[in-house]
Amino acid sequence: IGNYAFSSCTSLTEITIPDSVTEIVGGAFSGCTSLKEITVSPDNKNYVSVDGVLFTKNMSTLVAYPAGNERSTYTVPNGVTQIVGSAFSDCTSLSKVQLPNGLTKIGGSVFAYCTSLKELTIPDSVTAIGSYAFDYCKRLTEITIPDSVTEIGNYAFDYCTSLSKVKLPNSLTKIGYSAFYCCTSLTELTIPDSVTEIGMSAFEGCTSLSKVKLPKNLTGINWGVFSDCKSLAEIVIPDSV
């Protein structure tokens, strides 16, 4: 089942994966906003369904969460080390997700358009946050990014309009372009000295941002990084730029 094979099939309520399926690619069921349950044939040697959620057979990878499921909280099982891109996208009922220790990557668009998501802790084992990972999570108010993370992907937190507090780790080296685009509740930010690259428009439209500390090792300030930051009264550009 290929990329986005059933994407935006908004009337699809249930799907059964037969035993013949050997591969399901990321985003296969993204935007299926009425899908309440994914069922897998017990004879399938590659995939399994637990509480309607699709995993690889060994339970190491969460492949897809049905967007139409009305649970408000969900705990990703221990042993899961990877969440496929778009796995939770458009899950508008989820307000809290518990991620397991041992998770190494939050893929692209994993929680995109989870408009009710308020609470989520990123475990220390995560090293990368993919592009669009929290795109349009409009109720997410606070996020702490652990010291294990070295890169924040493009558009990772764009339009997280309630995000008022972000703690960036000393391990971080790169902030992708438009990573915090239009985070209109963000008021102040310290960018750790480990960061050497800030992508274009990274903080564009952060209209409440009044205080920013730039890292001493920053070599350049990209196009539009602080564009339309109307509340930004003062900024110190380090000698390294």
Side-chain angles (χ1 to χ4, degrees):
I1 299 176
N3 277 318
Y4 304 103
F6 296 93
S7 178
S8 300
C9 290
T10 55
S11 297
L12 185 65
T13 59
E14 187 177 339
I15 191 161
T16 300
I17 310 296
D19 54 12
S20 57
V21 171
T22 59
E23 183 180 10
I24 301 171
V25 184
F29 308 107
S30 66
C32 294
T33 52
S34 299
L35 184 62
K36 297 184 181 299
E37 184 177 10
I38 301 170
T39 304
V40 179
S41 166
D43 295 324
N44 190 295
K45 296 180 180 180
N46 299 282
Y47 295 97
V48 65
S49 176
V50 179
D51 296 328
V53 183
L54 181 64
F55 297 87
T56 54
K57 193 75 170 183
N58 62 5
M59 294 292 291
S60 66
T61 301
L62 191 155
V63 180
Y65 183 98
N69 190 289
E70 295 177 353
R71 282 183 292 233
S72 61
T73 63
Y74 181 70
T75 299
V76 178
N78 289 327
V80 171
T81 59
Q82 184 177 353
I83 300 176
V84 171
S86 302
F88 288 93
S89 64
D90 298 290
C91 293
T92 55
S93 294
L94 280 176
S95 62
K96 180 180 179 180
V97 176
Q98 180 69 46
L99 299 177
N101 292 323
L103 185 69
T104 58
K105 183 180 179 181
I106 297 175
S109 301
V110 163
F111 296 102
Y113 290 89
C114 289
T115 52
S116 298
L117 187 64
K118 295 180 180 179
E119 191 175 343
L120 181 137
T121 300
I122 300 173
D124 292 338
S125 51
V126 170
T127 58
I129 298 173
S131 297
Y132 298 93
F134 296 93
D135 185 30
Y136 278 86
C137 290
K138 293 189 172 185
R139 294 191 182 181
L140 191 65
T141 59
E142 183 177 334
I143 195 82
T144 297
I145 298 171
D147 288 336
S148 53
V149 172
T150 59
E151 183 175 337
I152 297 174
N154 304 329
Y155 298 95
F157 295 94
D158 77 319
Y159 286 102
C160 290
T161 52
S162 297
L163 190 62
S164 60
K165 186 176 181 181
V166 176
K167 184 179 179 183
L168 300 176
N170 291 325
S171 58
L172 192 66
T173 60
K174 180 181 178 181
I175 298 173
Y177 59 78
S178 297
F180 294 92
Y181 183 85
C182 282
C183 289
T184 52
S185 296
L186 192 62
T187 57
E188 61 179 76
L189 187 73
T190 297
I191 302 173
D193 290 335
S194 55
V195 172
T196 58
E197 183 180 352
I198 301 175
M200 293 186 298
S201 299
F203 301 98
E204 181 175 350
C206 293
T207 52
S208 299
L209 191 63
S210 61
K211 184 178 180 181
V212 176
K213 182 182 177 183
L214 293 177
K216 64 181 181 181
N217 295 318
L218 189 67
T219 57
I221 297 174
N222 251 314
W223 181 91
V225 168
F226 298 105
S227 178
D228 203 27
C229 290
K230 298 176 180 180
S231 301
L232 192 60
E234 182 180 345
I235 194 161
V236 176
I237 299 173
D239 294 339
S240 56
V241 172

